[in-house]
Amino acid sequence: AVCTHRSFNIDAMTNTMNLYGQKKHNITWLPMKGDALIDRARSRVASYFMLERNDDILFFVDDDGVFQSEDVIKTIDNVLGGMDICGGLVMLKKPQSIKQGHIDKNVLFFKDQSVTFSKDAKPVEIHMIGTGFVAIHRRVFQAMIDNKIVPFCHPTDLKFWPFFQPYPKELESDKWIYLSEDWAFCARTAQFPPDP
């Protein structure tokens, strides 16, 4: 699934279309265009996935994300192999360092956690991950629905669960953080881990 307010980057579109050449998994295209509120757009896609599809995994890529098909396949395989959520770190480029990518705040590691980055590195558990390149098993959404940690909304003809609704969270006394849609989703899933 790709959520975009206006347009889809041509490089990201090319990478997405390349997925249809792989033979290992059935891929279904789930675009969401025209909703400027990213948490609602992601929630609407996930709700459609739960209400109208029988697929096992929902995979989000950002509308400007560039990726390799084999990385998508590895991520899907990790989720099919038993993980609930598996994603990749998104490398961002700043204008002043256009030749060197850097990792922005799209992940939150556990305190004092060290992570090795290499081609052969295995996935590790982390606290929170962004949704720019992430696979989520259906059972994660079902656990959120079953435990009523998100209400079902239906303003006019939009019917969805707000899986990705941001919210403020107290870290310690009088110290708060505003969880973006992706980190809010991760925080909710930690409340009620899905049954394997």
Side-chain angles (χ1 to χ4, degrees):
V2 175
C3 299
T4 182
H5 175 47
R6 291 188 179 89
S7 62
F8 192 19
N9 176 288
I10 190 67
D11 293 327
M13 180 62 135
T14 300
N15 292 147
T16 302
M17 293 301 103
N18 286 340
L19 287 170
Y20 291 96
Q22 61 79 36
K23 306 283 189 237
K24 189 167 186 182
H25 301 296
N26 292 325
I27 305 287
T28 302
W29 175 237
L30 271 178
M32 170 60 66
K33 184 180 175 197
D35 195 334
L37 195 57
I38 189 64
D39 62 283
R40 184 175 56 210
R42 290 197 195 285
S43 294
R44 288 174 60 196
V45 168
S47 297
Y48 177 83
F49 172 78
M50 292 302 292
L51 292 168
E52 304 293 334
R53 303 292 307 168
N54 292 318
D55 304 294
D56 296 319
I57 296 171
L58 177 58
F59 199 109
F60 280 110
V61 293
D62 277 351
D63 62 358
D64 61 351
V66 179
F67 55 87
Q68 300 295 317
S69 294
E70 56 264 25
D71 292 328
V72 173
I73 301 308
K74 280 194 283 189
T75 306
I76 291 171
D77 288 345
N78 285 329
V79 174
L80 289 175
M83 293 181 183
D84 294 321
I85 301 170
C86 185
L89 298 180
V90 177
M91 300 297 287
L92 304 175
K93 291 184 178 180
K94 291 223 177 204
Q96 66 269 22
S97 61
I98 197 73
K99 292 184 180 179
Q100 277 194 325
H102 74 280
I103 299 171
D104 201 11
K105 300 288 185 193
N106 62 4
V107 296
L108 180 61
F109 297 113
F110 292 111
K111 187 177 179 181
D112 299 324
Q113 182 179 18
S114 65
V115 177
T116 301
F117 295 94
S118 77
K119 189 175 182 174
D120 300 321
K122 301 290 184 207
V124 296
E125 184 176 357
I126 61 172
H127 193 53
M128 295 181 186
I129 190 163
T131 47
F133 187 87
V134 68
I136 306 163
H137 198 282
R138 174 178 217 89
R139 65 180 165 258
V140 173
F141 297 111
Q142 192 62 56
M144 294 171 80
I145 294 166
D146 292 346
N147 290 288
K148 299 186 184 343
I149 56 176
V150 289
F152 191 66
C153 301
H154 50 88
T156 64
D157 62 339
L158 296 181
K159 295 180 179 165
F160 66 96
W161 289 278
F163 298 113
F164 294 90
Q165 183 179 27
Y167 66 93
K169 180 178 179 172
E170 192 170 17
L171 296 176
E172 50 192 72
S173 183
D174 290 329
K175 194 170 186 181
W176 292 77
I177 184 172
Y178 186 77
L179 297 176
S180 57
E181 98 283 349
D182 38 17
W183 288 19
F185 174 77
C186 292
R188 284 187 181 97
T189 63
Q191 293 178 34
F192 294 98
D195 293 328

